[in-house]
Amino acid sequence: MIKNIALLILIILVGYLLFWPVSIDPVAWQAPEAPALEGPYASNSALAQSRSLAVDDGTGPEDVAIDSDGFLYVGYVDGRIVRFNPDGSNPDLIADTKGRPLGLDFDPQGNLIVADGYKGLLSISPSGAIAALSQRANGVDYKFTDDVDADSNGVIYFTDASSKFGPALHARDDILEHGGHGRLLRYDPASDQTQVLLDGLQFANGVALSRDEDFVLVNETGSYRIVRYWLKGDKAGSHDVFFDNLPGIPDGISSNGNGTFWVALFSPRNAMLDAMSDKPLLRKVAFRLPSFLQPQPAHHGFVLGLNEQGEVTHNLQDTSADAFAPITSVEQHGNTLYLGSLTAPRFATYPLPANDPATVSEQDPSNATN
């Protein structure tokens, strides 16, 4: 009797794992072999020097924006946009989007541009008034507006990470499916028009303009790479791969306005996830498992610096138990990096050495944060 019950339970379990309907329809692909954490990616403890700010003032300050006076702005999972003094003190509620603010940047007029995962592309005036700029393109609504960067003329480049899976379903669903639902977009406030620059991206995430604004980069999280879209010159309108086969899962990217891109890696690559890349059925089975049995990101702070030729210039990590992680954004202001996180109840700062080639003067007009 007990054996029969056990067999029945086993049959039900196998049937569930193989046939229970799920929201993803995985596409087979071949993940490249992950680079070892050695050489330019050697494990280190540089980020152990980071300092936490605004501890327990809110959850999930995914991005940090810095205004011309050095005040810090973050968006929390509950929809609040909060401003802090340059030292992280004195939280001041600026606005509440009633959504999920993710990427943040200031336009030349001093408006805070927000990529809100639920509400689309928003603009928040210095008085706190919220205006919706763009919520759909080419007849397709945004499901996961993710990151944003405004150019010197106020034209806004942003991403819709997935037109199928929204923030409530998490990035995991889109990445496990690998269906190419991401888009890179451009919004022109002069014409109030939005243009799709690239589609078919594998979870289009962070976006950053080059120093001369001749190209824009977009992180393709699901393919572990960075794509470049040319804006000027003979290649204008075309795109290529700027950096392939990253050692981690890329999230945000920003430019310091002086030739350095900062790439936030959510975690190092996951061997189990990569091994399942060409096995769609196995990915469906994994999706049906309890979350604690699914591939999990390592608790590992990880930031790379790249120059405009796609060469690694900085490798900042922290593998300790109390590391600030996951890191989802890196913004430079002066000699300081500001680190955001999708899930942590705090954000953090990291001081660049005074002789670091990436350091720029806070008074230098080329010191841009995205």
Side-chain angles (χ1 to χ4, degrees):
M1 180 66 177
I2 294 178
K3 289 184 178 180
N4 290 339
I5 294 175
L7 179 60
L8 179 60
I9 291 174
L10 179 61
I11 291 172
I12 293 173
L13 179 60
V14 171
Y16 167 78
L17 291 175
L18 291 177
F19 302 112
W20 188 262
V22 292
S23 59
I24 65 171
D25 186 17
V27 175
W29 71 293
Q30 186 61 63
E33 182 178 353
L37 297 188
E38 57 188 33
Y41 310 128
S43 183
N44 61 72
S45 59
L47 289 178
Q49 300 178 47
S50 63
R51 180 172 66 92
S52 294
L53 299 181
V55 177
D56 294 330
D57 279 310
T59 300
E62 207 265 355
D63 197 7
V64 183
I66 304 96
D67 70 14
S68 57
D69 294 319
F71 287 92
L72 314 175
Y73 295 71
V74 301
Y76 290 120
V77 71
D78 58 8
R80 291 179 300 136
I81 304 286
V82 179
R83 179 180 62 199
F84 295 87
N85 287 345
D87 63 358
S89 64
N90 192 31
D92 184 17
L93 179 65
I94 299 302
D96 186 345
T97 69
K98 308 296 183 183
R100 178 46 167 126
L102 296 169
L104 309 174
D105 190 28
F106 283 97
D107 70 10
Q109 289 72 46
N111 301 302
L112 181 63
I113 308 302
V114 180
D116 187 291
Y118 294 107
K119 301 294 184 176
L121 187 69
L122 308 177
S123 175
I124 302 178
S125 71
S127 67
I130 301 175
L133 301 180
S134 182
Q135 296 172 311
R136 64 196 332 247
N138 290 359
V140 179
D141 293 340
Y142 311 144
K143 287 286 185 67
F144 206 138
T145 322
D146 198 301
D147 200 18
V148 59
D149 194 9
D151 73 11
S152 56
N153 294 314
V155 175
I156 299 165
Y157 296 83
F158 66 105
T159 52
D160 180 26
S162 174
S163 60
K164 181 175 180 179
F165 301 100
L169 298 173
H170 311 294
R172 175 203 63 166
D173 301 35
D174 191 272
I175 291 170
L176 275 176
E177 178 169 296
H178 204 81
H181 306 296
R183 295 185 288 176
L184 172 66
L185 306 111
R186 175 168 57 197
Y187 172 77
D188 186 349
S191 63
D192 191 32
Q193 297 295 312
T194 302
Q195 177 185 4
V196 178
L197 301 181
L198 292 174
D199 59 12
L201 299 173
Q202 300 298 340
F203 200 81
N205 208 321
V207 57
L209 286 154
S210 65
R211 172 171 43 191
D212 296 330
E213 300 181 352
D214 55 341
F215 64 85
V216 62
L217 300 181
V218 57
N219 280 351
E220 217 178 349
T221 300
S223 293
Y224 315 131
R225 66 184 184 179
I226 304 171
V227 174
R228 171 173 49 193
Y229 182 91
W230 290 96
L231 301 171
K232 300 176 182 177
D234 295 340
K235 297 181 181 179
S238 66
H239 68 280
D240 54 23
V241 176
F242 177 77
F243 199 101
D244 204 6
N245 198 22
L246 286 157
I249 300 171
D251 200 302
I253 186 171
S254 69
S255 168
N256 73 348
N258 200 35
T260 296
F261 292 108
W262 295 108
V263 183
L265 298 177
F266 192 89
S267 78
R269 297 268 290 276
N270 184 285
M272 184 182 300
L273 184 62
D274 284 358
M276 294 191 297
S277 64
D278 60 347
K279 301 174 180 62
L281 178 59
L282 187 56
R283 301 213 305 275
K284 273 192 176 183
V285 170
F287 187 84
R288 297 181 180 107
L289 291 171
S291 58
F292 71 92
L293 291 177
Q294 296 179 14
Q296 299 295 319
H299 186 79
H300 185 141
F302 206 163
V303 170
L304 290 180
L306 308 175
N307 63 24
E308 293 200 342
Q309 291 70 51
E311 300 165 330
V312 177
T313 59
H314 296 75
N315 169 33
L316 309 174
Q317 300 184 43
D318 185 4
T319 61
S320 64
D322 60 350
F324 181 78
I327 298 174
T328 52
S329 65
V330 186
E331 305 290 344
Q332 183 177 344
H333 187 71
N335 296 348
T336 302
L337 300 184
Y338 292 85
L339 312 176
S341 177
L342 184 67
T343 57
R346 54 195 172 109
F347 56 104
T349 64
Y350 172 80
L352 289 169
N355 61 350
D356 192 295
T359 59
V360 291
S361 168
E362 292 184 17
Q363 285 72 47
D364 186 341
S366 70
N367 177 23
T369 56
N370 305 311

